[in-house]
Amino acid sequence: MEKLEYIVPCHFGLEAVLKREIQDLGYEIVSVEDGRIVFAGDKEALCRANIFLRSAERVLIKIGSFHAETFEELFQGTKSLPWEAYIPREGKFWVAKAASVKSKLFSPSDIQSIMKKAMVERMKRIYHMDWFAESGDSYPVRVFIKKDEVTVGLDTTGESLHKRGYRKLTAKAPIAENLAAGLLMLTPWRGSRILVDPFCGSGTIPIEAAMMAARMAPGRNRTFQAAAWEHIVPGRLWNQVKEEADSRVDLTVQTDIQGYDIDDEMVSIARANARLAGVDRLIHFQKRSVEQLSHAKKYGFILTNPPYGERLEDKNNLESLYRALGERYQALDAWSMYLITAYEQAEGAIGRKADKNRKIYNGMMRTYFYQYIGPKPTGNGR
């Protein structure tokens, strides 16, 4: 089958996780860059990447790349790309996003405008048309410019992959679903082991964990931009991959996944979201403060996204909150703890320096993934 190259963006700091996911799907990695992976695959790979990847943000078909230091070079480079191979004459096309780093061309709006004009000029010549009604399916384009190297991709996903479809209600500062999944994959946690999120909010971390435990593909119940592109990806391929995803699901798995929150309303929201995700049977949610965190068994995991203090009213409580988390963690027997936070004094308040510390960007916010690594299970430990 025809091989294409795909560009898959992710959160900065999760590149290794996404690379492993793509390799586990059986595809060849072409390059690893900050915040994105490029891989090669057939047309079925487009469907499988969208449906199965947990830590990705979207999947783009790579249209091409070229060097551009001037707007004229950008125009000519864009015009030289084979747009007609992807966009039919009635297609609606535009540059949905332009990002530039360390490049002479840096104005997103100018980049978008010039590239659109170049695409029109190319297709006017190919289709022998002077005007495009753009009344058909949508073909959003995304462009990355780094050190004057322009990479152009066609967005097959549409709404970002973090939108699985289950989170209808959210907390004030929710963690993105793909970031939660990526953090889980940075730990040794597996579905048969204990997991507790003492600041669960709308339930994202426990829900993503339960979906992983049940082998539930994150994109199996949502739609994608490229599903309408029959000339690129036949509908039968989408159906085959969704059938593959459905066949993998195992809701009989035994789990010990718990989510706590001090807010009654948040607990109700988390339960509702878990029901929508189809994993409510696999998670125990309850109202409980961090000071009440406890568990009788050994070798469990805390994975959480505690408050960062973004809101002024939270700042005064942060030190005591992190201190309580550290005290309760110390009281647990042979557990590991992983938390993502932008709170700079987290380790001091917890009372112990983390074994590992990984910088991850949560959107535009720099955060740290603190890793307190407990002992491996021995004997009958899980």
Side-chain angles (χ1 to χ4, degrees), residues 220-238:
R220 60 190 280 269
N221 289 325
R222 56 158 287 173
T223 58
F224 303 96
Q225 190 78 60
W229 304 349
E230 281 279 344
H231 63 295
I232 298 177
V233 193
R236 62 178 174 78
L237 288 181
W238 288 106

Side-chain angles (χ1 to χ4, degrees), residues 230-273:
E230 281 279 344
H231 63 295
I232 298 177
V233 193
R236 62 178 174 78
L237 288 181
W238 288 106
N239 293 334
Q240 287 171 11
V241 175
K242 288 202 171 184
E243 285 173 12
E244 177 191 353
D246 289 342
S247 71
R248 291 187 181 193
V249 177
D250 178 13
L251 288 171
T252 66
V253 65
Q254 297 300 305
T255 59
D256 187 347
I257 300 171
Q258 301 180 32
Y260 308 146
D261 202 278
I262 199 169
D263 186 333
D264 258 331
E265 185 183 2
M266 281 295 102
V267 173
S268 297
I269 286 172
R271 286 177 178 144
N273 288 338

Side-chain angles (χ1 to χ4, degrees), residues 109-294:
S109 59
D110 289 335
I111 292 166
Q112 289 167 301
S113 174
I114 285 163
M115 289 186 68
K116 168 76 180 204
K117 288 175 184 174
M119 294 166 69
V120 168
E121 285 303 307
R122 165 87 181 201
M123 291 195 287
K124 277 168 68 173
R125 180 170 59 82
I126 297 292
Y127 289 130
H128 308 291
M129 296 169 65
D130 291 325
W131 182 76
F132 294 87
E134 299 193 46
S135 57
D137 294 318
S138 294
Y139 296 84
V141 173
R142 290 184 169 237
V143 58
F144 315 99
I145 307 179
K146 184 175 182 181
K147 296 181 180 177
D148 304 317
E149 293 299 319
V150 183
T151 303
V152 185
L154 188 62
D155 181 11
T156 73
T157 301
E159 253 194 333
S160 172
L161 288 175
H162 82 267
K163 296 193 175 179
R164 322 291 206 208
Y166 66 75
R167 200 167 71 180
K168 303 300 183 186
L169 301 163
T170 64
K172 289 179 182 175
I175 187 170
E177 294 88 329
N178 56 349
L179 178 54
L183 297 180
L184 280 158
M185 288 186 281
L186 281 172
T187 78
W189 179 82
R190 295 296 177 266
S192 61
R193 300 185 68 181
I194 302 162
L195 182 75
V196 175
D197 180 358
F199 303 97
C200 74
S202 52
T204 307
I205 289 173
I207 291 169
E208 289 294 320
M211 289 174 68
M212 290 169 66
R215 304 180 73 229
M216 190 179 285
R220 60 190 280 269
N221 289 325
R222 56 158 287 173
T223 58
F224 303 96
Q225 190 78 60
W229 304 349
E230 281 279 344
H231 63 295
I232 298 177
V233 193
R236 62 178 174 78
L237 288 181
W238 288 106
N239 293 334
Q240 287 171 11
V241 175
K242 288 202 171 184
E243 285 173 12
E244 177 191 353
D246 289 342
S247 71
R248 291 187 181 193
V249 177
D250 178 13
L251 288 171
T252 66
V253 65
Q254 297 300 305
T255 59
D256 187 347
I257 300 171
Q258 301 180 32
Y260 308 146
D261 202 278
I262 199 169
D263 186 333
D264 258 331
E265 185 183 2
M266 281 295 102
V267 173
S268 297
I269 286 172
R271 286 177 178 144
N273 288 338
R275 279 193 297 274
L276 284 170
V279 294
D280 49 311
R281 191 193 68 77
L282 303 179
I283 310 169
H284 174 66
F285 289 110
Q286 67 172 277
K287 180 183 177 182
R288 186 188 285 199
S289 69
V290 67
E291 289 84 1
Q292 296 172 299
L293 173 60
S294 65

